C-alpha cells in the first residue's frame, strides 16, 4: 500500500477506547494526540459496558474499526467477596462488547492478565501454558478472554502484568506515599514478575493497529503476552522506586506468607514475550528505564 493511501486509511480509522479513565486508557489518550486515527474515549459515565442495549446503541451510531477494551474490575482483593460485581465487568461486559464487535466487524483488543495463571513454576509464561487461575479476579478475566475470542473471531487477547502509570492508583504511587510517611517498610520479595509501564503497553497496542492496517490481522489474532523486559520482585520494584526518588527508608524483604491478602497471587509470573516481539517486530523497553520515565512524568 502507498504512503498517501495509508495516511488516508488511518485518518478514516475509528478506535474506541473503553475504560478510558483507567491507567491504560489514560495512557492511550496521551498517545492519541500524536496519532492520525480518530479516537473515541469512553468510561462508565458515557458507556456502562454491562448495559448490552447501550453498547449496541453506541456501536449503531459510531462505526468502530478497533475497540481497545481497557475497562475491567481490577480490585483483586475485593473481587474475592464480590464475585458477581467482578463477573459483570470482566465477563458480561466483555460479552456485550464482543457481540457488538462481531455484528459491526470490529477488531477487539481484550486486555487480560498474568493472574489467569497459577504461577507455581519458575518457567516464563508462554501463551501455550494452560491457564489455571487462583483468584476470583483471575478466573473472571480468563472467562472474559474465552467469551471475547469465542464470540468475536476478530479478537486479540493481550495479557499483561504488574501495570503502573502516572495515572490512577498503583504500586508506584503507593510506595512514594509510604516512603514519605514511614521510616521502615516490608515488601514481598518472593513473588517474581516484571513491572510494566502502561505507557509502553499503550504504544504497543497502537503499533499493532498499524501492523493490522498494513498487513491485516486475521492471521495473528489469538493470545499474546506483553510486559516490560527484565525480572524483579515487588521488593526490587520498591527498591528501584526509592533509589530513583532518593527516598531514604529501611526496606525489608517479606515472604508472601508474612503479608496476608484476600486473593492469592501467582508466585512466578514472568511473561515470555517471544510471540508478540517476533509477530509485530517489537522492541520492548527494560522495566527500570520505563520506571525512570514514569517517575519523571510524575514529577512534572
Ligand atoms: N492494574 C494492573 O496491575 C493490571 C495487571 C495486569 C492486567 N491488567 C489489565 O489491564 C487492563 C487495564 O487495567 P488498568 O490498570 O488500566 O485498569 P483501571 O485503572 O482499573 O481502569 C479500569 C477502568 O474501567 C472502568 N470501568 C469499570 N467498570 C466499567 C463498566 N461497567 N463500564 C465501563 N467502564 C468500566 C473503571 O471505572 P471505575 O474506576 O469507575 O470503576 C476504570 O476507569 C484491565 O483489563 C486489567 O485487567 C491490569
Amino acid at each position: 500500500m502507498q504512503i498517501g493511501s495509508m495516511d488516508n486509511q488511518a485518518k478514516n480509522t475509528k478506535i474506541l477506547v473503553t475504560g478510558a479513565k483507567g491507567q491504560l486508557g489514560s495512557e492511550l489518550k496521551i498517545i492519541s494526540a500524536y496519532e492520525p486515527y480518530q479516537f473515541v474515549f469512553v468510561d462508565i459515565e458515557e458507556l456502562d459496558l454491562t448495559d448490552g442495549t447501550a453498547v449496541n446503541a453506541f456501536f449503531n451510531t459510531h462505526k468502530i474499526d478497533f475497540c481497545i477494551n481497557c475497562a475491567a474490575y481490577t480490585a483483586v482483593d475485593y473481587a474475592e467477596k464480590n464475585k458477581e460485581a467482578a463477573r459483570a465487568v470482566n465477563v458480561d461486559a466483555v460479552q456485550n462488547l464482543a457481540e457488538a464487535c462481531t455484528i459491526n466487524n470490529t477488531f477487539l483488543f481484550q486486555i487480560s492478565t498474568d493472574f489467569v495463571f497459577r504461577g507455581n513454576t519458575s518457567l516464563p509464561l508462554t501463551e501455550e501454558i494452560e491457564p489455571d487461575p487462583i483468584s476470583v479476579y483471575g478466573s473472571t478475566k480468563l472467562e472474559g478472554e474465552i467469551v471475547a475470542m469465542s464470540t468475536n473471531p476478530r479478537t486479540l487477547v493481550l495479557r499483561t502484568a504488574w501495570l503502573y502509570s502516572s495515572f490512577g492508583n498503583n504500586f508506584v504511587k503507593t510506595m512514594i506515599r509510604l516512603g514519605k510517611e514511614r521510616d521502615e517498610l516490608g515488601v514481598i520479595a518472593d513473588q517474581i514478575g516484571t513491572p510494566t509501564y502502561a505507557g509502553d503497553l499503550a504504544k504497543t497496542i497502537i503499533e499493532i493497529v498499524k501492523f493490522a492496517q498494513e498487513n491485516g490481522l486475521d492471521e495473528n489474532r489469538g493470545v499474546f503476552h506483553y510486559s516490560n523486559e527484565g525480572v524483579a520482585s515487588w521488593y526490587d520494584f520498591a527498591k528501584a522506586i526509592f533509589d530513583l526518588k532518593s527516598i531514604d527508608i529501611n526496606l525489608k524483604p517479606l515472604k508472601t506468607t508474612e503479608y496476608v491478602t484476600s486473593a492469592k497471587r501467582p508466585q512466578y509470573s514472568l511473561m515470555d514475550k517471544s510471540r508478540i516481539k517476533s509477530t509485530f517486530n517489537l522492541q520492548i523497553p527494560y522495566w527500570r528505564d520505563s520506571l525512570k520515565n514514569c517517575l519523571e512524568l510524575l514529577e512534572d
Side-chain angles (χ1 to χ4, degrees):
M1 195 183 290
Q2 305 217 317
I3 301 290
S5 66
M6 259 162 53
D7 286 350
N8 275 338
Q9 193 190 6
K11 277 184 205 143
N12 292 324
T13 298
K14 203 173 252 185
I15 302 177
L16 172 66
V17 178
T18 55
K21 290 187 179 157
Q23 298 192 82
L24 180 58
S26 301
E27 295 288 355
L28 279 160
K29 195 160 199 177
I30 298 290
I31 292 179
S32 69
Y34 310 100
E35 295 295 339
Y37 307 106
Q38 296 174 41
F39 283 87
V40 184
F41 291 92
V42 292
D43 207 292
I44 190 162
E45 296 88 359
E46 299 85 22
L47 181 60
D48 181 349
L49 299 174
T50 61
D51 180 346
T53 310
V55 172
N56 280 332
F58 186 92
F59 273 76
N60 283 340
T61 48
H62 298 78
K63 167 82 189 83
I64 305 295
D65 299 291
F66 293 88
C67 171
I68 307 171
N69 182 24
C70 308
Y73 184 104
T74 53
V76 174
D77 290 309
Y78 283 118
E80 290 300 307
K81 286 201 173 142
N82 296 290
K83 183 165 185 180
E84 284 319 307
R87 258 194 118 259
V89 187
N90 294 345
V91 185
D92 301 342
V94 179
Q95 172 97 51
N96 292 339
L97 259 188
E99 279 172 8
C101 286
T102 310
I103 294 166
N104 294 282
N105 199 29
T106 303
F107 198 94
L108 174 64
F109 286 88
Q110 172 60 20
I111 313 302
S112 194
T113 169
D114 58 320
F115 278 46
V116 300
F117 293 108
R118 179 167 286 272
N120 59 346
T121 70
S122 51
L123 291 173
L125 298 166
T126 63
E127 292 83 355
E128 281 73 38
I129 293 176
E130 198 63 41
D132 183 16
I134 50 175
S135 63
V136 167
Y137 169 72
S139 24
T140 58
K141 289 295 292 182
L142 177 59
E143 252 192 276
E145 291 183 359
I146 294 165
V147 153
M149 287 190 288
S150 59
T151 307
N152 181 18
R154 303 187 73 217
T155 294
L156 189 152
V157 168
L158 198 43
R159 292 187 188 133
T160 189
W162 297 31
L163 216 55
Y164 68 91
S165 155
S166 57
F167 301 96
N169 295 317
N170 52 57
F171 185 82
V172 173
K173 289 189 180 176
T174 305
M175 287 303 112
I176 294 172
R177 177 174 53 78
L178 292 177
K180 288 176 182 159
E181 289 169 6
R182 300 200 192 165
D183 299 324
E184 189 178 288
L185 186 66
V187 176
I188 292 179
D190 61 359
Q191 284 173 25
I192 305 299
T194 313
T196 301
Y197 180 35
D200 293 336
L201 176 58
K203 278 185 200 153
T204 295
I205 294 170
I206 299 303
E207 285 301 308
I208 298 176
V209 168
K210 283 179 192 161
F211 180 98
Q213 295 219 295
E214 284 165 31
N215 307 289
L217 242 191
D218 283 351
E219 283 173 17
N220 293 304
R221 62 202 169 179
V223 181
F224 289 84
H225 288 179
Y226 180 90
S227 70
N228 277 129
E229 293 285 11
V231 186
S233 66
W234 290 105
Y235 174 88
D236 296 323
F237 190 12
K239 180 85 174 72
I241 296 163
F242 294 137
D243 287 351
L244 286 164
K245 291 290 293 175
S246 304
I247 292 173
D248 188 16
I249 187 166
N250 182 11
L251 190 61
K252 299 202 158 174
L254 295 182
K255 290 182 182 166
T256 299
T257 47
E258 292 174 289
Y259 188 85
V260 178
T261 54
S262 312
K264 284 191 191 149
R265 281 146 169 88
Q267 206 73 25
Y268 191 87
S269 55
L270 190 71
M271 297 294 216
D272 182 314
K273 300 166 286 290
S274 313
R275 184 170 184 215
I276 198 164
K277 286 198 285 191
S278 61
T279 305
F280 302 113
N281 197 18
L282 294 179
Q283 300 272 356
I284 300 183
Y286 174 51
W287 73 267
R288 280 176 198 268
D289 295 336
S290 293
L291 174 63
K292 196 162 173 272
N293 291 341
C294 178
L295 290 175
E296 280 166 9
L297 277 176
L298 271 174
E299 254 162 43
D300 287 350

